[in-house]
Amino acid sequence: MVMTKTTRPVVFNSPFEAGMRSLVVLNATYPNSIDLHRILQFEYLIVHSADIGGPESLHPPVPLRSGELLVRRGLIESGLQLMLSRGLIDRVLGENGIEYMATDSSEPFIRSLSSPYILKLVGRAEWVAETFMFYSQSEMSALMKMSFDRWTSEFHSIDQSSGLET
């Protein structure tokens, strides 16, 4: 967790939050390992599952949300480091290079948490893993491109409504 000057922990948009979601993703895909790029894609799909015809999204449908794909990579990397340091995930050499996977400690840790958000997060992660785990890279890229194209359209729409030239 990031601490502020007043020593209050920052939870939202922090490595802790990104690490928790990544941990839940990896637990849902266990015993398979996945690379950072796939974790990033799955994390986005879990939070915005309704955008692709899945269950209700965990987060509200804010404009320009597809842009999250561009800015969350560093945060997720920091979150993975946090979970690695606690022994909740492992880093392995997989077919796509460095990949991550849940450990034997992941499941009991996640099951010890009972907030409504965590329960929904686990359900969405299981849905994403069941639906997209065996998509090829090109299939996942096509799916994510649809989201990115929507973001580009939203961005142009906002620019035009504000009077800015695009």
Side-chain angles (χ1 to χ4, degrees):
M1 270 182 261
V2 177
M3 303 296 274
T4 64
K5 289 180 181 177
T6 59
T7 67
R8 293 180 51 197
V10 175
V11 175
F12 300 110
N13 282 325
S14 68
F16 176 74
E17 179 188 25
M20 281 300 300
R21 278 204 295 266
S22 298
L23 173 64
V24 172
V25 165
L26 293 170
N27 194 58
T29 61
Y30 185 82
N32 298 300
S33 59
I34 56 177
D35 64 10
L36 175 61
H37 190 64
R38 186 62 64 110
I39 293 170
L40 178 66
Q41 293 169 329
F42 279 9
E43 199 250 11
Y44 177 84
L45 295 175
I46 287 167
V47 172
H48 302 292
S49 51
D51 288 0
I52 51 170
E56 179 184 356
S57 296
L58 281 177
H59 293 183
V62 295
L64 305 177
R65 62 188 169 281
S66 300
E68 293 173 16
L69 287 167
L70 302 174
V71 297
R72 293 198 54 83
R73 186 180 187 95
L75 200 54
I76 289 175
E77 284 179 309
S78 296
L80 288 170
Q81 289 300 319
L82 179 62
M83 296 301 148
L84 276 166
S85 73
R86 301 301 185 263
L88 293 170
I89 63 172
D90 274 337
R91 189 173 20 216
V92 297
L93 186 57
E95 62 185 53
N96 296 315
I98 296 173
E99 296 182 343
Y100 299 88
M101 66 184 301
T103 66
D104 291 340
S105 300
S106 302
E107 175 81 16
F109 176 74
I110 292 169
R111 296 289 172 214
S112 73
L113 305 171
S114 60
S115 75
Y117 183 85
I118 286 289
L119 298 176
K120 289 179 182 177
L121 177 63
V122 168
R124 300 309 187 280
E126 290 170 352
W127 176 78
V128 166
E130 289 170 10
T131 307
F132 303 108
M133 182 64 199
F134 297 105
Y135 268 40
S136 68
Q137 282 294 356
S138 62
E139 290 170 322
M140 281 304 293
S141 292
L143 180 68
M144 300 315 290
K145 184 179 179 320
M146 285 184 344
S147 290
F148 192 75
D149 288 347
R150 186 175 32 250
W151 171 72
T152 303
S153 296
E154 291 170 358
F155 185 76
H156 286 289
S157 227
I158 288 173
D159 269 0
Q160 289 171 350
S161 67
S162 67
L164 298 174
E165 289 186 31
T166 57

